[in-house]
Amino acid sequence: MLKAALALAVAMLATSAAAASPTPYQMLAPLLDTPWTEQIGTSPWPQHPRPQLRRGDDAWQSLNGIWTFQPGLDADADTADPPAAPLAQEVLVPSCIESGVSGVMASGVTHMWFATAFAVPAAWDALPGGDGDGGRRVLLHFDAVDYEATVWVNGDEVGFHRGGYDRFTLDVTDNVVAGGGENELLVFVFDPTDEAPYNIPNGKQTRQPSHIWYTPCSGIWQTVWLESVPSSYIAGLDITAGMDGDVTITIHSATGTPSTPVEVALHDEGGVVVASHQGASDEVLAFSVPVPALWTPDSPTLYNITVTMGADIVRSYTGFRTVSAASVNGVQRPLLNGEFVFQFGTLDQGFWPDGIYVPPTLDAMVFDLQLLKSLGMNMVRKHIKVEPDLFYEACDRLGLLVVQDMPSMHTGSGALPDGAQQAEFERQLERLVAQHKSFPSIVTWVIYNEGWGQIRDAYHPEVGITARVREMDPTRLVDATTGWFDHGAGDFSDNHHYAEPQCGTPFYSLPSSPYDSARIGFQGEFGGLGHRPAPEHLWPVQAAIDTIPQTYEVHADLESFNYRSHVLFSQLRDQVALFACSGAVWTQTTDVEGEVNGLVTYDRRVLRVNATQWRADIQALYAAAAERTR
């Protein structure tokens, strides 16, 4: 694999030297497409990417589109002497270079370069907020780059970031040519994926795909954009709103200097101001809204927020809801707004046959979520991946509870992290919590999945990590170990068992731990029933096809698939009625490569489930939970 990557790099560098212009972009045919593949175009993801920190439409500019690309050879040598643009060939940003959508479709590339040119709109100079202090600022945002990024603007190195799932921002005001002049942006990316000796948070990505491990994503895979802000500006918002109407908000200034005057206004869905408050930046502000409409899966009411700090005005939103845990009739339960709500949804991998990690369009991404709602589900477990902010906004608006996993470290070699790798994992987990804790739909943070990357002999790191997550975000529950190696940390006693559920029961099977009645009984994964689709809906890679028999159960037809599903739902309903089951996760939303156990096929074209039957079975779970808690 490494030899192939080096050969590709040498060939492309030679092509770059010999050619006056890069090879033009052309989408390469994905191995399997979706109904949205042809809608991607060359200006992908045009939506404003930060729904909870949004300025006027005249103050931002997407840099998504056609960039140039070429592989690198060695991190130290490359970054010491960055190449001149244009690079060897054109590429689509955002995308994974392993995908046909990127126009590259290369595998095994560890070092790579990306470049584009951009102009700072001259109209930005006229926007208010220069305050006579050097004028307005120009921010360069990257919403996710996998895995390390070093950034240059006009030949100046302006920043470095490590972590494939979190966003980062660079102030490039002093590096750009303003007033409409051309600027050069150059990005060096290093992505070792699962190469030894690296052990990084990368979820299900691997360079050797096999069954439950999938094609990796390297490069700039979420939106890149420019933003114009006043010289004194708001860098972030932390917002909570509880069922009692109490609101807390911290308005982080870019300088971090407290006591800058700020004003907050909350608007209902009709635009009426229901509360306003004045205070200071970088301090916790608290006020109340009398009798708010609460956010629930059945009625996902949201309130818009306007925050003003001097010349800076940003818009956000929140939902009034309280997540907690308590004993109900002698059983520990998760509560939403003081009531036990049985949580049921799917394991959601977030992989796509055309874009790998990148959904082809916003509509495509929302399609998966709407499918879950249409079947009566109220929850989705985002499985060891972090999505764009627009995913969580969609869950907020649809009314889907989100159980959010931290992307796991790779454990294919069996090697557990050393001290530095563990510290980096924990740092990136803290980034995940800090950047997403204002989304109302997120109700649970998951630290470890099935022991992947979990140190469990020398000490149990999840105990301290749980305490840290609670300190950062006391408004949510923590599932410290979903499936296996449970040492008593967190709010959940979470069992994985295929295909039948074993949820909050006195019986269990190894390697999961027995149910702990002091915590919430939860079925973190079950189901996984398979059905081999017609060839036109199957990931056409023989190595993946060969792993289909590894599926927990493979059914010959959809009648059998749905019959067996009904049997498993009946077992789960009995466990809700008889024991202490408070929620469950069905595997899974869609097929992924060699896994053929989705509600829909990987291309999203064939729905396996009998929708009428599934709606009835899911409603029966809620009914059993309601009866159990009377």
Side-chain angles (χ1 to χ4, degrees), residues 508-528:
Y508 73 101
S509 300
L510 295 174
S512 282
S513 302
Y515 165 61
D516 174 6
S517 62
R519 291 178 293 153
I520 298 164
F522 198 77
Q523 188 70 52
E525 295 178 24
F526 83 113

Side-chain angles (χ1 to χ4, degrees), residues 411-566:
T411 57
S413 64
L416 293 175
D418 61 24
Q421 292 165 344
Q422 178 66 25
E424 181 62 25
F425 172 82
E426 294 181 22
R427 184 191 71 83
Q428 292 187 32
L429 171 60
E430 291 180 10
R431 294 274 294 179
L432 167 65
V433 173
Q435 292 188 358
H436 294 83
K437 64 182 181 180
S438 294
F439 289 107
S441 56
I442 299 177
V443 294
T444 300
W445 303 113
V446 176
I447 299 173
Y448 287 113
N449 176 76
E450 294 187 349
W452 299 348
Q454 178 187 356
I455 298 171
R456 49 189 181 270
D457 49 4
Y459 72 110
H460 303 148
E462 67 271 17
V463 175
I465 298 173
T466 297
R468 176 60 179 143
V469 171
R470 291 198 200 284
E471 179 185 7
M472 293 183 65
D473 180 16
T475 71
R476 291 180 175 85
L477 304 180
V478 179
D479 192 343
T481 54
T482 177
W484 313 0
F485 306 119
D486 183 0
H487 303 113
D491 296 292
F492 293 86
S493 181
D494 184 342
N495 176 35
H496 292 187
H497 191 262
Y498 289 101
E500 293 87 352
Q502 292 184 358
C503 183
T505 67
F507 50 94
Y508 73 101
S509 300
L510 295 174
S512 282
S513 302
Y515 165 61
D516 174 6
S517 62
R519 291 178 293 153
I520 298 164
F522 198 77
Q523 188 70 52
E525 295 178 24
F526 83 113
L529 304 181
H531 167 258
R532 180 169 177 158
E536 61 267 29
H537 305 294
L538 191 63
W539 184 245
V541 175
Q542 191 59 47
I545 294 171
D546 290 344
T547 66
I548 288 176
Q550 297 178 32
T551 304
Y552 305 104
E553 292 181 13
V554 182
H555 289 260
D557 53 45
L558 293 183
E559 182 179 9
S560 171
F561 172 91
N562 280 288
Y563 164 76
R564 181 66 168 144
S565 300
H566 176 67

Side-chain angles (χ1 to χ4, degrees), residues 244-262:
D244 53 5
D246 289 346
V247 180
T248 62
I249 179 169
T250 302
I251 301 160
H252 298 279
S253 66
T255 61
T257 304
S259 301
T260 303
V262 294

Side-chain angles (χ1 to χ4, degrees), residues 69 91 95-99 102 104-106 109 112 114 217-219:
F69 165 87
V91 64
S95 67
C96 308
I97 66 164
E98 294 85 352
S99 72
S102 71
V104 178
M105 214 170 186
V109 180
M112 62 208 81
F114 297 84
C217 175
S218 301

